[in-house]
Amino acid sequence: KNEVEQSPQNLTAQEGEFITINCSYSVGISALHWLQQHPGGGIVSLFMLSSGKKKHGRLIATINIQEKHSSLHITASHPRDSAVYICAVNGGGTSYGKLTFGQGTILTVHP
Amino acid sequence: DSGVTQTPKHLITATGQRVTLRCSPRSGDLSVYWYQQSLDQGLQFLIQYYNGEERAKGNILERFSAQQFPDLHSELNLSSLELGDSALYFCASSGRSGPISGNTIYFGEGSWLTVV
C-alpha cells in the first residue's frame, strides 16, 4: 500500500461542476501539498496545508490531521482546470523537501 | 514563472553516457531539491541541498550525484545511463528563511531526459 493514496485516479466533469479530489496518507506529516501539473509537464504548487482549510479563487483545500485525509475542491470547474492534481506530504524539519507523492488524479473538464 | 530555471529542457543521449542537469533556484532560496518523474514510478524525491550541504536523500541511485555550489545553483549528474533513467527531472527550491516547514516549494519546468 502506498503511503499516499489519491482518489479518483481519473475524473471527467462538465464545465461548471463541483469537483472533489481526495488524498489519504498513512504516515505522520508536518505539511501536505496540492500540486497541479499541466500537459506541458510543469508543476505548480497550489496549496500547502498543515491544518484546517485554505481557499484561493475557485480552489479550496482542507485537511483533517486526525483522520490523515485531505480534499481538494474546485468550484465552477472550467476546461482550463484540466490537469493532473498531485497530493504530496512531507515530514518536516531537515527533511522538509523529502516529499512523498500520490499517484495523481487526471482531471478533464469538458465545455 | 516560478523563478526556478532548469537547463537543458530536453536531452537525448545514449546508454552508458553521462549528463549534467543544471538548476538555478529562485533568488534568495537556499534549499534545492531534485525529483524524478517516470511513467512507472511517478514522482520520486532524489536529494535535497541547503546552502551547499546535503540535507536529505531519497531514492537516488549510486550512479547519480548532485551538488550545490556557493552561488546556490545545483547540478544533478547522471552517469552510466540506462534506458530506465529516461524521465522528467524536476528541480525545486524553497526556504528564503531556512529549511523549515512552512515554506512553499517552487518547481522548475523540468528537464526531459531520453536515453536511447
Side-chain angles (χ1 to χ4, degrees):
Chain A
K1 189 182 191 306
N2 293 331
E3 291 182 340
V4 182
E5 294 277 354
Q6 285 184 236
S7 63
Q9 291 190 16
N10 286 279
L11 184 54
T12 301
Q14 290 297 125
E15 184 172 355
E17 287 185 357
F18 181 85
I19 287 163
T20 296
I21 300 171
N22 296 298
C23 175
S24 296
Y25 52 92
S26 58
V27 295
I29 69 168
S30 62
L32 180 143
H33 303 255
W34 281 104
L35 310 171
Q36 181 191 55
Q37 186 172 27
H38 277 282
I43 294 176
V44 174
S45 178
L46 298 174
F47 293 103
M48 183 180 59
L49 296 160
S50 55
S51 64
K53 176 180 175 179
K54 286 189 176 180
K55 184 176 189 292
H56 185 253
R58 295 179 295 104
L59 302 179
I60 303 167
T62 64
I63 188 168
N64 185 317
I65 297 293
Q66 287 73 31
E67 295 186 2
K68 295 186 175 176
H69 180 269
S70 175
S71 293
L72 176 68
H73 306 286
I74 304 176
T75 61
S77 59
H78 190 275
R80 66 174 174 266
D81 297 326
S82 298
V84 178
Y85 292 83
I86 302 167
C87 170
V89 300
N90 74 272
T94 56
S95 298
Y96 176 72
K98 193 173 181 178
L99 293 176
T100 302
F101 298 88
Q103 73 274 38
T105 295
I106 303 171
L107 172 64
T108 304
V109 182
H110 293 293
Chain B
D1 183 6
S2 67
V4 180
T5 304
Q6 288 187 247
T7 57
K9 287 188 168 38
H10 298 271
L11 188 57
I12 302 174
T13 190
T15 54
Q17 294 298 304
R18 171 190 169 95
V19 299
T20 297
L21 309 180
R22 181 188 167 98
C23 171
S24 293
R26 289 195 326 152
S27 178
D29 281 359
L30 300 177
S31 284
V32 169
Y33 317 85
W34 286 98
Y35 302 94
Q36 179 195 58
Q37 186 176 36
S38 60
L39 283 175
D40 55 343
Q41 297 287 333
L43 269 163
Q44 292 192 93
F45 167 75
L46 295 179
I47 197 163
Q48 176 198 0
Y49 280 84
Y50 175 74
N51 203 20
E53 293 187 2
E54 182 184 306
R55 277 300 176 97
K57 216 165 186 176
N59 300 322
I60 187 166
L61 300 172
E62 285 190 10
R63 299 182 286 107
F64 296 178
S65 65
Q67 54 184 327
Q68 186 180 27
F69 295 87
D71 66 353
L72 301 178
H73 91 271
S74 177
E75 292 181 355
L76 179 67
N77 301 296
L78 315 175
S79 62
S80 302
L81 285 167
E82 303 174 359
L83 296 177
D85 298 327
S86 296
L88 181 54
Y89 291 85
F90 285 103
C91 170
S93 76
S94 76
R96 285 192 170 119
S97 57
I100 57 174
S101 296
N103 292 311
T104 298
I105 296 178
Y106 296 89
F107 287 80
E109 292 291 312
S111 292
W112 285 95
L113 172 65
T114 302
V115 182
V116 297

